[in-house]
Amino acid sequence: PELSEEPPAEMVKMTKSKTFQAYLPNCHRTYSCIHCRAHLANHDELISKASVNVISPFFIFFRVNVGCGPAEERVLLTGLHAVADIYCENCKTTLGWKYEHAFESSQKYKEGKFIIELAHMIKDNGWE
């Protein structure tokens, strides 16, 4: 018999799944992208939710489930930082930024932390 490169139709399973770096557990409180509902962060990774920048409020996280662009130097309210824009892996919306390097010693604690603007996320899974 002739070999086919395509699997038989009964073996093909078409799904409309989203592309994430990781699916976060349903049992945990999570934050999702407001634009496409992709999982962004677990509530346990939240450092602070009292931060406000000049444009919109934001949360600070230890780890997030997003893509990261190249770092560039920017002058923010707290001084010069090397930051990289972060984006949703599914819909590619820019969500905030990651602090790559702080040039002032008083700001070093921000290095490696992620900022997500509240306008880009919603609460998902397990919130009462």
Side-chain angles (χ1 to χ4, degrees):
E2 191 174 315
L3 294 177
S4 172
E5 291 184 27
E6 294 183 348
E10 66 270 11
M11 293 179 65
V12 176
K13 186 175 183 180
M14 300 300 287
T15 61
K16 286 189 144 189
S17 62
K18 295 179 180 177
T19 304
F20 304 124
Q21 285 187 10
Y23 285 91
L24 300 177
N26 284 334
C27 61
H28 288 61
R29 293 180 295 170
T30 58
Y31 298 94
S32 296
C33 176
I34 199 167
H35 310 285
C36 71
R37 300 296 291 262
H39 301 165
L40 298 178
N42 185 321
H43 183 69
D44 295 340
E45 298 296 331
L46 180 65
I47 299 170
S48 172
K49 57 183 177 180
S51 300
V52 178
N53 66 15
V54 289
I55 299 170
S56 65
F58 58 84
F59 285 3
I60 303 173
F61 294 91
F62 281 113
R63 285 189 302 251
V64 291
N65 189 34
V66 298
C68 193
E72 62 183 31
E73 292 181 4
R74 292 186 195 155
V75 178
L76 304 176
L77 289 177
T78 55
L80 180 64
H81 299 273
V83 298
D85 286 337
I86 59 173
Y87 57 89
C88 175
E89 285 283 2
N90 186 54
C91 68
K92 307 303 182 202
T93 300
T94 300
L95 305 168
W97 63 92
K98 177 184 179 187
Y99 286 103
E100 297 286 356
H101 179 71
F103 293 94
E104 296 178 25
S105 60
S106 66
Q107 299 297 308
K108 291 287 187 187
Y109 72 96
K110 294 179 179 177
E111 291 181 347
K113 307 300 187 301
F114 296 86
I115 305 302
I116 299 179
E117 294 177 351
L118 291 182
H120 297 296
M121 65 181 178
I122 57 172
K123 293 178 177 179
D124 250 345
N125 301 331
W127 294 93
E128 297 297 323

